[in-house]
Amino acid sequence: QIFTASVVIGFFQAALGPHVDAVLGAPPYMQGLLWLVDAVAFLVCRLLNVWLMTKCSDWVILSMGTIMEGASCMLISIFPSWYLIWPGMVLMGAGDALMFTPGPPMLANIVELADCRHNHGSVFAMIDVAACLGFILGPLCTIGPPSFWVKSQLFAGFCFLNLIGSVHLRTLKDRAAANVAIVQ
């Protein structure tokens, strides 16, 4: 999910400005305002995530973030309208926060290397690699003949495909809880 979030952000950072300029005739500062809305939604949702993690399971939060990310791709590209781009940017920021916050602890629980006392270094290395690859591949996806709309819809489908990974994380967590119950 961290890779998906990074690819989507990388794609929209490179493609959204020219798209908004070409379709809506937006002034250059408008792209900065769009990303400001995204950043504020990200920070607010990170704060709300602390409360949300006490109420929901990690995989549910990750799934909600994935759904928000896919919905943002659809909203931003469906119709060239400011009424859909602004909520799309809010959903993108909130979805990123919901995907990035529970991701590292869940990954640390999965990785649990028996012979390594400090496995969090490998977890953060995997997260860094996923984010870096996402930010490399995202802008590269702007090159080529398919339109902005087609690419955005493909990214939305990719986000919804990641829901399968969220469900798989749930089954891993359930299996780990069952193993702990058997041992006790």
Side-chain angles (χ1 to χ4, degrees):
Q1 274 80 5
I2 291 171
F3 172 73
T4 302
S6 299
V7 168
V8 168
I9 293 170
F11 168 73
F12 278 107
Q13 281 180 342
L16 189 61
H19 171 71
V20 170
D21 183 41
V23 174
L24 298 172
Y29 66 86
M30 192 56 74
Q31 185 179 4
L33 290 177
L34 288 172
W35 289 107
L36 176 68
V37 168
D38 178 80
V40 168
F42 180 84
L43 292 174
V44 168
C45 211
R46 286 290 290 250
L47 294 173
L48 290 175
N49 221 355
V50 175
W51 171 79
L52 195 58
M53 289 180 83
T54 62
K55 305 292 182 197
C56 299
S57 176
D58 293 345
W59 73 271
V60 172
I61 296 170
L62 205 61
S63 298
M64 287 189 312
T66 305
I67 290 169
M68 288 176 155
E69 191 84 19
S72 75
C73 292
M74 292 172 65
L75 277 178
I76 290 171
S77 66
I78 285 184
F79 298 110
S81 166
W82 289 113
Y83 298 112
L84 294 176
I85 290 177
W86 291 109
M89 294 303 286
V90 169
L91 282 175
M92 186 181 297
D96 290 338
L98 292 178
M99 290 168 79
F100 275 97
T101 304
M106 289 179 75
L107 194 56
N109 289 338
I110 293 170
V111 170
E112 288 182 5
L113 302 172
D115 59 342
C116 182
R117 293 184 324 196
H118 308 289
N119 63 343
H120 292 289
S122 61
V123 168
F124 289 116
M126 285 188 271
I127 291 170
D128 285 344
V129 167
C132 289
L133 283 175
F135 283 119
I136 289 170
L137 293 177
L140 286 177
C141 292
T142 61
I143 302 169
S147 67
F148 176 80
W149 184 86
V150 170
K151 291 176 186 176
S152 297
Q153 298 307 314
L154 287 173
F155 279 120
F158 187 53
C159 288
F160 293 129
L161 190 62
N162 274 329
L163 286 175
I164 296 169
S166 297
V167 172
H168 181 65
L169 289 174
R170 186 192 118 229
T171 59
L172 286 175
K173 192 170 185 173
D174 290 345
R175 278 188 262 163
N179 288 342
V180 169
I182 291 171
V183 171
Q184 292 177 354

